[in-house]
Amino acid sequence: EDFENAQKVAQEVRCPVCVHLLRSLLSRARSYSEDDIADVLEGNTDYERTGDAVEDQMLKHKKGCNKHFKDDLVAEGFMLRPCKEVAPEIKNDTSPCLWQSPEKPSKQAVDTYEVWKEGVFYACEQSISH
């Protein structure tokens, strides 16, 4: 059921997720060459070992959309809220809208599983990963 909900959310927020991620990623590209853009989209980063087996395992897989949705959206305070609460001029209903809180979450909050985060991850997978 979580998977189905996450897929539904992904379909609804795919475009705003793509726009925010591309803005963030392209701002870090060395140039607009094909290779430099591919480098930031792939998100391959070498992380120093922390000594914590669970965190080291998580960091080993933190690339591509696993990295982007956490670092460039969730860690920057982006979350999903009912559109009528945060963007009634765009959609005045309870469908999800991507919204940036003025406060950034803790590292623990970023790493904690929530269905809406899975939806944002799939929105990344269905847009910039293709």
Side-chain angles (χ1 to χ4, degrees):
E1 185 177 319
D2 283 355
F3 175 77
E4 291 169 4
N5 288 337
Q7 289 292 322
K8 183 179 178 203
V9 165
Q11 293 240 332
E12 295 193 48
V13 299
R14 181 176 35 217
C15 289
V17 164
C18 182
V19 166
H20 286 289
L21 286 175
L22 285 176
R23 276 189 192 138
S24 178
L25 295 171
L26 291 176
S27 73
R28 292 195 305 269
R30 286 184 297 215
S31 75
Y32 290 130
S33 74
E34 193 173 318
D35 287 343
D36 287 343
I37 291 172
D39 285 345
V40 294
L41 290 177
E42 290 167 3
N44 293 326
T45 304
D46 292 325
Y47 294 98
E48 289 187 31
R49 292 193 159 272
T50 66
D52 179 324
V54 173
E55 187 167 354
D56 287 343
Q57 184 68 12
M58 183 191 72
L59 291 173
K60 180 180 173 185
H61 296 285
K62 193 174 180 184
K63 54 188 164 192
C65 282
N66 272 328
K67 176 182 183 344
H68 303 322
F69 96 94
K70 280 188 178 181
D71 292 355
D72 296 291
L73 292 174
V74 179
E76 292 300 317
F78 282 94
M79 58 183 66
L80 299 182
R81 290 284 179 250
C83 289
K84 69 180 182 182
E85 291 178 15
V86 296
E89 67 284 356
I90 296 171
K91 264 183 152 176
N92 196 14
D93 61 19
T94 59
S95 62
C97 275
L98 189 65
W99 176 75
Q100 187 173 20
S101 169
E103 299 170 11
K104 293 184 181 181
S106 68
K107 182 180 178 334
Q108 181 179 354
V110 170
D111 291 335
T112 300
Y113 174 82
E114 295 177 75
V115 174
W116 73 266
K117 291 176 189 171
E118 189 172 356
V120 172
F121 166 77
Y122 286 126
C124 175
E125 288 272 295
Q126 295 169 9
S127 58
I128 68 166
S129 281
H130 283 162

